[in-house]
């Protein structure tokens, strides 16, 4: 073999070694990113798990356990669904059905009794309840601590009030409590879903409570846009104000099980 051939073979070997080294570096970088993403998700799930282990998320805010305004004198409590009586859970379902069934039927979802009952009885469900002087429930919010697109969030599933206690500031008060709980448990935002054709509720959350259309909402994500009858709204806590967007490559929806 001549000197020229040896030189070419050496160059080829050097090139191959360079390619292999670059591949190795990329593999290491990819593995490191996966480890970092896993660590970030573990931290998110740890916060959600810690929030769900609380005995009473409202315990740190005793002043908010009473609503004594505009002719109302109510006690506020926060409990897991497992701590509620079947009668109270059934009342919450019936109030939701009375207030929301027609709105659901006007959407692409339709009203599905079995699914709604299962949702409201899910073991992850928390309830913020307002009771009158006779301990009769008059309003509630069903919420959960969960993970949405890589972010730890407090997701509000329902805010329902009996007609006799509406337009007295109680709904706003319950949402403000949820925001306090979200901050105290280091959730990044409070999220909820609202029908576009539920004009009063949409205006209430967008204008009175300053909720924004979330990046995951159909109108923002482009998954179905104007064809969807709902928006996903959110309001960031102090822990979410500087966090930017959700973790890259994270899965939308789901919880830490």
């Amino acid at each position: 073999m001549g000197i020229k051939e040896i030189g070419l073979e050496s160059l080829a070997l050097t090139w191959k070694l360079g390619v292999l080294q670059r591949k190795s570096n990329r593999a290491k970088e990819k593995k490191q990113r996966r480890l970092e993403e896993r660590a970030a998700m573990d931290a998110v799930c740890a916060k959600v798990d810690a929030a769900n282990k609380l005995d009473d998320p409202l315990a740190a805010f005793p002043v908010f356990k009473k609503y004594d305004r505009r002719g109302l004198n109510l006690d506020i409590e926060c409990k897991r669904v497992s701590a509620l009586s079947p009668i109270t859970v059934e009342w919450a379902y019936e109030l939701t059905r009375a207030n929301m069934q027609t709105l659901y039927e006007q959407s692409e979802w339709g009203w599905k009794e079995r699914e709604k009952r299962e949702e409201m009885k899910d073991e992850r469900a928390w309830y913020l309840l307002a009771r009158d002087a006779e301990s009769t429930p008059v309003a509630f919010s069903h919420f959960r601590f969960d993970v949405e697109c890589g972010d730890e969030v407090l997701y509000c599933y329902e805010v329902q009030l009996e007609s006799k206690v509406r337009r007295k500031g109680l709904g706003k008060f319950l949402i403000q409590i949820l925001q306090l709980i979200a901050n105290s448990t280091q959730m990044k935002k409070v999220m909820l879903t609202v029908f576009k054709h539920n004009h009063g509720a949409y205006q209430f959350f967008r204008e009175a409570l300053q909720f924004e259309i979330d990046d995951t909402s159909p109108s923002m994500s482009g998954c179905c846009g104007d064809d969807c009858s709902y928006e996903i709204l959110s309001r960031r806590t102090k822990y979410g104000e500087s966090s930017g967007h959700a973790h890259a490559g994270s899965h939308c929806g789901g919880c830490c099980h």
Side-chain angles (χ1 to χ4, degrees):
M1 183 181 292
I3 295 175
K4 184 177 181 180
E5 285 80 2
I6 293 173
L8 290 173
E9 186 174 296
S10 178
L11 285 172
L13 180 59
T14 300
W15 179 79
K16 287 181 180 178
L17 288 173
V19 170
L20 290 173
Q21 183 62 48
R22 287 193 293 274
K23 286 184 178 179
S24 176
N25 289 340
R26 284 197 296 270
K28 289 179 181 178
E29 290 170 0
K30 189 175 181 180
K31 182 179 180 180
Q32 182 61 31
R33 283 197 300 271
R34 285 200 301 268
L35 290 172
E36 290 172 355
E37 289 172 1
R38 181 69 261 175
M41 184 53 64
D42 286 346
V44 168
C45 290
K47 289 180 182 178
V48 171
D49 290 343
N52 277 315
K53 288 177 181 177
L54 292 172
D55 290 328
D56 179 7
L58 194 53
F61 310 103
V63 70
F64 285 88
K65 289 192 171 188
K66 197 81 175 174
Y67 188 79
D68 188 7
R69 305 175 195 173
R70 299 172 69 174
L72 298 178
N73 186 9
L74 306 173
D75 291 316
I76 311 295
E77 62 185 26
C78 186
K79 292 184 177 181
R80 292 182 180 85
V81 66
S82 58
L84 298 179
S85 70
I87 292 175
T88 299
V89 176
E90 181 63 19
W91 162 82
Y93 169 77
E94 287 298 336
L95 179 59
T96 302
R97 184 188 61 77
N99 290 348
M100 300 299 295
Q101 182 172 355
T102 299
L103 291 165
Y104 270 84
E105 290 173 345
Q106 292 170 352
S107 76
E108 65 269 29
W109 293 348
W111 178 259
K112 299 179 177 65
E113 178 178 348
R114 182 179 60 81
E115 291 181 10
K116 179 56 72 173
R117 285 185 180 277
E118 289 176 354
E119 176 185 281
M120 297 182 72
K121 293 179 180 179
D122 190 286
E123 62 180 8
R124 295 165 294 169
W126 286 88
Y127 280 79
L128 199 58
L129 283 164
R131 297 180 182 273
D132 64 17
E134 286 74 42
S135 293
T136 302
V138 295
F140 79 93
S141 173
H142 161 205
F143 69 94
R144 301 182 195 177
F145 301 106
D146 214 335
V147 178
E148 288 289 331
C149 294
D151 281 337
E152 55 272 41
V153 307
L154 186 156
Y155 209 110
C156 174
Y157 280 70
E158 304 284 350
V159 179
Q160 303 295 340
L161 284 70
E162 297 272 9
S163 58
K164 60 186 177 183
V165 296
R166 292 179 198 156
R167 301 189 181 281
K168 296 178 183 292
L170 179 60
K172 185 175 183 180
F173 186 73
L174 294 178
I175 295 297
Q176 288 172 333
I177 291 177
L178 294 186
Q179 291 173 315
L180 283 172
I181 292 174
N183 264 302
S184 68
T185 53
Q186 299 184 30
M187 299 295 106
K188 287 188 176 175
K189 52 188 174 180
V190 177
M191 298 182 68
L192 55 89
T193 303
V194 63
F195 288 125
K196 295 177 184 176
H197 52 282
N198 189 357
H199 303 296
Y202 187 85
Q203 185 177 25
F204 171 68
F205 286 112
R206 292 283 282 134
E207 297 180 11
L209 291 169
Q210 302 296 301
F211 273 68
E212 299 178 349
I213 298 175
D214 194 78
D215 290 341
T216 63
S217 192
S219 65
M220 298 290 282
S221 63
C223 67
C224 54
D226 293 336
D227 293 332
C228 284
S229 61
Y230 66 92
E231 293 278 17
I232 298 173
L233 306 182
S234 66
R235 180 167 174 175
R236 291 189 175 274
T237 67
K238 63 183 180 182
Y239 295 96
E241 288 173 352
S242 60
S243 64
H245 297 292
H247 302 294
S250 59
H251 174 67
C252 285
C255 54
C256 302
H257 289 325

